[in-house]
Amino acid sequence: MADKSSKKKTGLTLACIILAVLVIFIFFLVKKDAILTNLKETRFFERVFGSTPEFVENHTPSEKETVKIPLNPQSDDVVIQVEPEQKKSVPKEESDKKDSAPEKAQAAEKDEKSDSQTAKKEEKTAEKTKPVEPAYTELMLCFIEIDGDGSINRKLVKRSVPKNDSPLTTAIKAVLAGPDTTKSDERTCISLIPEGTRLLGARVSGGVAYLDFNDAFEFNTNGVEGYNSQLMQLVYTATSFSTVNSVQFLIEGQKKDYLGSEGQWIGSPLSRTSF
């Protein structure tokens, strides 16, 4: 029995030794380069056995990652270099550029859209706030010029005024106000319409302009020539419109046959041929 037990122990010991040798051998094959490199660099064989084997001395080390594996608990630790896992490294600047490129493109696109929207808003705001320039129209006004010999002549001048819905009324009131001496073509002009004359109403019907004035229109201090001139100024101004052929004068809303003490006829519509 003792012999059998001894044989079993011997067989088990032998198996463990063989297993250990196989593990060491396999480890050596896997880590051969790292082990040889460390044996060469630490001069393990020279320190332990006095000389280094030729295959260790001729071994060329490669770049390794170092780990410490104790080969002998009583000796110094031997440093073994292990090859690190190879990873492709991307330079930080390139990585930053790659990462930031899409972000920059998106940011630029957003900025462009924002700028476009802002420009459209500003354009719309400018259109809303931009003052609307009034359209102008030209009126033909009739005034009087007196020659050096005292003769009275009519003078038609053009005046630019803002457009409105009552151009005839605007023109008659402009004549009543008199010539604008700041304008070169009106500096030599005068008006013989009595001062204080006001237009009470104006309408056009069947080519006839009905002009209604206050009673100041009846009194002209310049005699017959004055009455004739005031009527001529208003008739020529009114008939400059294509819709007016003649003028019927009214005083305080009433039609009268004669104007003033001189007896100037106004009982029927007057045209340019009346002067």
Side-chain angles (χ1 to χ4, degrees), residues 53-269:
E54 187 175 351
F55 73 92
V56 175
E57 188 69 31
N58 294 334
H59 176 69
T60 302
S62 58
E63 293 183 0
K64 311 289 182 181
E65 184 181 78
T66 62
V67 296
K68 292 184 177 181
I69 300 177
L71 298 182
N72 190 336
Q74 297 179 352
S75 66
D76 297 336
D77 289 341
V78 177
V79 180
I80 299 177
Q81 294 182 344
V82 181
E83 292 183 359
E85 183 181 354
Q86 296 294 325
K87 293 183 179 180
K88 292 183 179 180
S89 61
V90 179
K92 186 178 180 181
E93 291 183 0
E94 288 188 22
S95 177
D96 292 343
K97 288 180 180 179
K98 290 180 180 179
D99 293 340
S100 62
E103 295 177 0
K104 288 182 178 179
Q106 292 177 358
E109 186 176 353
K110 288 182 179 178
D111 291 341
E112 186 176 351
K113 288 182 179 179
S114 177
D115 293 341
S116 177
Q117 292 175 353
T118 301
K120 289 181 180 179
K121 288 181 180 178
E122 290 178 352
E123 186 176 346
K124 289 182 180 179
T125 302
E127 289 178 358
K128 289 181 179 178
T129 57
K130 185 179 179 181
V132 179
E133 296 182 0
Y136 284 84
T137 185
E138 282 190 341
L139 299 179
M140 188 71 72
L141 309 180
C142 182
F143 293 109
I144 299 298
E145 269 190 335
I146 299 179
D147 291 340
D149 58 359
S151 59
I152 298 175
N153 301 306
R154 63 176 174 270
K155 183 176 181 181
L156 296 174
V157 298
K158 290 182 179 181
R159 187 181 294 182
S160 181
V161 299
K163 280 186 177 180
N164 57 56
D165 296 332
S166 305
L168 175 60
T169 299
T170 301
I172 297 301
K173 287 184 177 181
V175 173
L176 296 180
D180 184 355
T181 56
T182 63
K183 300 181 182 297
S184 59
D185 57 346
E186 297 184 32
R187 287 175 185 169
T188 59
C189 296
I190 63 171
S191 176
L192 292 180
I193 298 174
E195 290 185 9
T197 299
R198 290 183 294 107
L199 179 67
L200 302 180
R203 63 186 177 87
V204 178
S205 178
V208 179
Y210 292 84
L211 303 181
D212 185 13
F213 298 96
N214 64 339
D215 55 9
F217 188 69
E218 292 188 84
F219 306 100
N220 195 309
T221 58
N222 295 298
V224 176
E225 293 294 338
Y227 283 114
N228 186 67
S229 295
Q230 74 183 69
L231 295 175
M232 180 178 63
Q233 283 183 243
L234 294 169
V235 168
Y236 269 81
T237 298
T239 55
S240 65
F241 294 93
S242 60
T243 57
V244 179
N245 298 319
S246 60
V247 176
Q248 175 63 65
F249 291 95
L250 304 174
I251 307 297
E252 298 289 346
Q254 301 296 318
K255 184 170 71 170
K256 294 187 176 184
D257 292 334
Y258 296 97
L259 180 65
S261 59
E262 300 296 335
Q264 194 74 23
W265 174 256
I266 58 171
S268 59

